[in-house]
Amino acid sequence: MVDNNLYRLYHGLMLPKIAHTDESLNYLQNFQVKDDDTFAVTYPKSGTTWMQEILPPLLNGGDLTSVQTIPNWDRVPWLEETQAPVLLDKLPSPRAIVSHMPCHLMPSSFFNSKAKVIYVARNPKDVLVSSFYFHKMANFLEDPGTFEEFTDKFLSGKVLFGKWTDHVKSWRNPELADRILYITYEEMLQDLREVLGRILNFLGRELSADALDRVVNNSTFKNMKTNTMSNYSLVPDVVLDQKKSNFLRKGIAGDWKNHFSPELNAKFTSVIQEEMKGSNIKFSWDNE
Ligand code: PPS
């Protein structure tokens, strides 16, 4: 049962009412994408905030001013959230925009544009753990229940933005061809500089080695944790209670191993494998 006080259904997807209104979803559908827009698309808890830190300096020649002075949600706004109509029309181009939308729910102008997309995927087991703690601290979401209960909701898609597998598969749309770059949260953790090089190349941009070093250094977990423009400390406790769990919580790969029993792991792996069958999508964590 979906809690109608907290969530709304949009094309079958559960969205938090606090962040999405009729007006914002209408705005999303009619949004005019520009050819030089860059979208960072993620399933929730897969590296959105990290991309909001990284994209502005990559697009503006390495200037970190916006990252140090503008909250992440205003700096790289969400396409589908309440503030989108206020923020996006006045955002100077080239615009960086984040979205949790599956591909088929993007505005029609997106498909007729040359806008580029960076799709960030994360091991769904770690996505689940991150989301579990997020539900404990976000007062606009239902209590996740036990970890096992929350896992069942996750696997059946009764969570924000639906099933992880549907999201990942939707973005393997061959129509997008070279307009989309696929990266993973785990690759960013392993070698951020290398991934940023790939993103620059994809966007047709360059940065000096020094500037790139500064972007890498600015977007480490440790530095983002102390950046009030990126660590969500500007959001009042009644909305996000960081005494319960930090938004920038652990920032690691493999925390799932501290949460999954062998039985839960077997069940989770088999459901995900079954749903990814025939998709030809391979991830580094597939055999973990
Ligand atoms: S949201 O709510 O969808 O916008 O959340 P999102 O930003 O996508 O995901 C939050 C998780 O990303 C981690 N994060 C980072 N990890 C490593 N390095 C950096 N710089 C970084 N920035 C954000 C954040 O800590 C959340 O993961 P967990 O596992 O909960 O720590």
Side-chain angles (χ1 to χ4, degrees):
M1 269 275 284
V2 174
D3 183 337
N4 292 323
N5 292 321
L6 298 176
Y7 304 109
R8 61 186 305 142
L9 279 179
Y10 181 70
H11 294 271
L13 299 181
M14 272 169 64
L15 307 185
K17 276 194 166 168
I18 195 176
H20 308 275
T21 56
D22 284 340
E23 193 202 358
S24 72
L25 294 168
N26 202 27
Y27 179 82
L28 152 79
Q29 283 164 8
N30 296 309
F31 183 67
Q32 288 307 307
V33 173
K34 296 182 186 169
D35 285 341
D36 61 356
D37 285 341
T38 302
F39 290 88
V41 177
T42 51
Y43 183 82
K45 314 320 283 183
S46 301
T48 329
T49 318
W50 209 351
M51 292 306 288
Q52 288 170 319
E53 197 81 358
I54 283 165
L55 281 180
L58 293 191
L59 287 168
N60 72 16
D63 185 352
L64 292 168
T65 312
S66 72
V67 168
Q68 282 149 5
T69 56
I70 306 175
N72 60 300
W73 52 83
D74 286 348
R75 188 197 309 147
V76 183
W78 267 272
L79 176 59
E80 58 270 10
E81 291 204 348
T82 40
Q83 287 304 304
V86 179
L87 295 167
L88 283 170
D89 289 343
K90 35 177 219 265
L91 203 65
S93 288
R95 303 182 293 190
I97 302 167
V98 285
S99 179
H100 289 320
M101 280 293 154
C103 187
H104 58 278
L105 294 182
M106 289 295 278
S108 56
S109 65
F110 167 76
F111 296 98
N112 301 323
S113 77
K114 297 190 177 111
K116 294 193 171 175
V117 180
I118 302 161
Y119 186 87
V120 191
R122 184 181 189 188
N123 185 339
K125 294 177 188 172
D126 284 328
V127 168
L128 169 67
V129 173
S130 181
S131 188
F132 177 70
Y133 287 100
F134 185 58
H135 279 69
K136 284 179 178 284
M137 57 92 78
N139 290 337
F140 52 91
L141 300 177
E142 67 186 352
D143 183 276
T146 66
F147 189 70
E148 285 68 21
E149 285 164 351
F150 190 63
T151 304
D152 284 340
K153 285 188 197 161
F154 184 88
L155 289 175
S156 63
K158 292 193 185 80
V159 285
L160 304 181
F161 291 88
K163 281 187 186 177
W164 178 88
T165 46
D166 287 343
H167 200 276
V168 168
K169 286 192 279 188
S170 83
W171 279 99
R172 299 285 165 146
N173 180 346
E175 268 178 48
L176 295 173
D178 56 4
R179 284 177 54 199
I180 187 162
L181 174 73
Y182 299 100
I183 61 174
T184 66
Y185 174 94
E186 288 72 10
E187 290 167 341
M188 290 167 75
L189 271 181
Q190 200 170 20
D191 189 347
L192 187 56
R193 203 174 201 283
E194 186 276 329
V195 176
L196 296 195
R198 251 192 283 158
I199 296 177
L200 282 170
N201 194 32
F202 172 67
L203 297 177
R205 290 178 179 269
E206 284 180 12
L207 279 190
S208 69
D210 280 358
L212 187 54
D213 282 342
R214 282 196 296 276
V215 178
V216 170
N217 182 48
N218 176 73
S219 50
T220 60
F221 184 72
K222 192 170 136 267
N223 286 341
M224 280 178 64
K225 247 181 121 66
T226 57
N227 180 355
T228 52
M229 294 298 142
S230 309
N231 63 12
Y232 281 87
S233 58
L234 297 175
V235 178
D237 277 6
V238 288
V239 181
L240 288 178
D241 189 350
Q242 302 220 37
K243 290 196 286 308
K244 289 187 182 156
S245 178
N246 285 318
F247 185 95
L248 294 170
R249 193 184 57 91
K250 279 198 181 174
I252 59 169
D255 194 30
W256 66 268
K257 292 174 189 158
N258 300 315
H259 295 79
F260 281 62
S261 66
E263 296 73 33
L264 194 68
N265 187 30
K267 172 170 140 183
F268 190 98
T269 305
S270 105
V271 172
I272 299 283
Q273 272 176 1
E274 189 55 37
E275 292 190 1
M276 296 303 280
K277 224 183 233 171
S279 72
N280 275 332
I281 305 173
K282 300 274 173 268
F283 288 114
S284 60
W285 55 76
D286 284 346
N287 297 316
E288 275 188 8

